Structures are given as C-alpha cells and as structure tokens.
C-alpha cells in the first residue's frame, strides 16, 4: 500500500470511504452542501479564480483559452451505473487482465460519454485538493457534491473528475461550487495496476463565484 503514488492512494481512500486531508497550515474548512445542478459555464457572476480580486476585465479575458468549452455536468457524467468490483479495481498484473479490464470498463461507459474523450469542457462541481504547493492547488478532484466520508455518502467513481493543472495552481475553494476548464479524458486510469478513476481533466483555468 505504501508503494502506491500519493495521488493513487488518495483516490483509493475515497473509494474505501476515507477522507483526505491537506497539510494543517493549508487545510480548508469543513464543507457541506447540495448536489450541483446544471448551469451556464460562463455566468456573468464568475471570474477566473487564478486572477487576483480587483484585476481588470481585460486581464481576466486574456487568460481565457481560445478554444470554446463544452459544458459537461455531472447530471450526464454520473447518470449511469458503474459497478466497481474487486476484480475491476485491481491490481491488474498482466496484459491479458489489462485488456479484459479495459473492455469491461468501456462496456459500462455509455457511448455518448466516451465521445467526450479529448474534448475541451467546462465542469462545475466541488473541489477536493489532492496536492497543494506554495499555497495553491495543483492536483484535485472536482466532485458532484460535497458529500464526503464522515459527512455524507462515499462518492461513486463517475461522480468525480481527477484534475491536474497544466500551468499554475488555483486557489483552494472547498466551500462553494467552482468551474474547471480543460481537456477531458474518458476511460479507465490505472496506477500500479489499480483503478483510480475513469475521468481525468488537463486543467487550464478555474472560475468561481465572486467572493
């Protein structure tokens, strides 16, 4: 267990129903709330979270990527049943097992969801930091709602997206919904043979409600 990467261990702990804590000096407050409901990805009440408060609209606009982002909500990403069995969870130790696991995973993900693979999307949800460097979050989960171990139900594997920021980190905001923009990857992700997720996002920027 100790040999697995930190990020892999964090996600597996979620599957097991255990909470994840950030370092004491950068730990966010306890969170609670209602599930995310579909909404516009570019609401006029939002601003990029990596733009300092009071920054000019021109500077904020300049930070936006040129490509358009498709709004993808958890109402679609988590709308189907995905059974995580012990065999599927792993570890997968050879190519035959890996091929069988991949086929099993793909069979449970609807074609309309698999078609999102490689698309630039905007996903609204709640942040769970996994890696904090210099006061900013560089790796995180974006989750359907704020239910976590000890505070609510354990999230299903299609109720979170693993995010790794491509450039710089974002501000830790665990008490309100945020919108992450980037390129989505759909399909099983394994580390050391263990299934650690089915959604990944190459994060480009984040927007959050005005504080």
């Amino acid at each position: 267990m100790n040999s697995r990467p930190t990020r892999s261990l964090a996600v597996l702990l979620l599957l097991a129903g255990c909470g994840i804590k950030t370092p004491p000096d950068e730990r966010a407050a306890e969170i609670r709330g209602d599930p995310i409901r579909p909404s516009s990805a570019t609401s006029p009440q939002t601003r990029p979270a990596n733009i300092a408060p009071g920054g000019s609209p021109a500077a904020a606009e300049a930070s936006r990527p040129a490509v358009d982002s498709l709004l993808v909500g958890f109402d679609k990403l988590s709308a189907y049943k995905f059974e995580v069995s012990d065999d599927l969870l792993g570890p997968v130790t050879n190519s035959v097992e890996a091929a069988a696991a991949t086929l099993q995973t793909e069979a449970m993900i609807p074609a309309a969801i698999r078609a999102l693979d490689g698309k630039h999307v905007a996903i609204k949800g709640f942040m769970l930091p996994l890696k904090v460097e210099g006061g900013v979050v560089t790796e995180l989960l974006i989750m359907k709602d704020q239910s976590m171990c000890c505070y609510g139900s354990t999230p299903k594997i299609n109720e979170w997206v693993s995010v790794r920021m491509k450039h710089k980190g974002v501000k830790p905001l665990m008490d309100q919904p945020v919108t992450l923009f980037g390129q989505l990857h759909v399909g099983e992700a394994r580390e050391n043979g263990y299934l650690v997720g089915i959604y990944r996002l190459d994060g480009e920027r984040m927007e959050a409600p005005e504080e």
Side-chain angles (χ1 to χ4, degrees):
M1 178 69 74
N2 291 335
S3 63
R4 301 179 203 167
T6 301
R7 186 163 172 268
S8 172
L9 177 60
V11 178
L12 290 173
L13 286 175
L14 271 178
L15 280 173
C18 297
I20 303 174
K21 297 181 179 179
T22 54
D25 58 333
E26 295 173 331
R27 188 177 302 150
E30 176 183 327
I31 54 174
R32 300 178 185 273
D34 298 324
I36 287 293
R37 293 175 173 79
S39 62
S40 170
T42 55
S43 167
Q45 283 75 43
T46 62
R47 61 171 173 80
N50 51 2
I51 298 296
S56 69
E61 188 63 29
S63 71
R64 297 176 184 272
V67 294
D68 292 331
S69 297
L70 175 66
L71 178 61
V72 178
F74 280 104
D75 57 324
K76 296 178 181 178
L77 294 177
S78 62
Y80 61 95
K81 188 174 183 179
F82 192 102
E83 292 287 350
V84 182
S85 63
D86 290 340
D87 289 340
L88 186 61
L89 185 61
V92 170
T93 58
N94 58 63
S95 59
V96 174
E97 289 180 351
T102 298
L103 289 175
Q104 186 179 353
T105 300
E106 290 183 352
M108 286 190 284
I109 302 175
I113 302 299
R114 294 200 307 270
L116 296 172
D117 184 46
K119 299 293 180 62
H120 280 80
V121 301
I123 302 176
K124 188 175 183 179
F126 290 92
M127 174 193 294
L128 178 61
L130 296 181
K131 187 175 183 180
V132 180
E133 296 178 309
V136 295
V137 180
T138 57
E139 295 183 26
L140 63 136
L141 301 183
I142 185 77
M143 306 177 69
K144 178 181 178 180
D145 56 48
Q146 292 171 299
S147 296
M148 292 173 56
C149 172
C150 306
Y151 304 118
S153 60
T154 303
K156 298 179 177 62
I157 198 169
N158 57 354
E159 292 181 343
W160 81 72
V161 178
S162 298
V163 183
R164 181 173 292 174
M165 300 307 297
K166 292 174 60 177
H167 306 297
K168 58 183 179 179
V170 295
K171 180 180 179 180
L173 291 173
M174 296 176 63
D175 58 349
Q176 57 185 296
V178 297
T179 302
L180 268 294
F181 295 78
Q183 186 177 27
L184 180 66
H185 303 281
V186 178
E188 69 172 17
R190 291 185 177 272
E191 294 185 10
N192 288 354
Y194 291 88
L195 179 66
V196 295
I198 58 173
Y199 299 136
R200 282 99 53 216
L201 187 75
D202 297 330
E204 296 171 355
R205 65 186 177 97
M206 183 177 82
E207 287 186 355
E210 289 285 357
E211 297 178 353

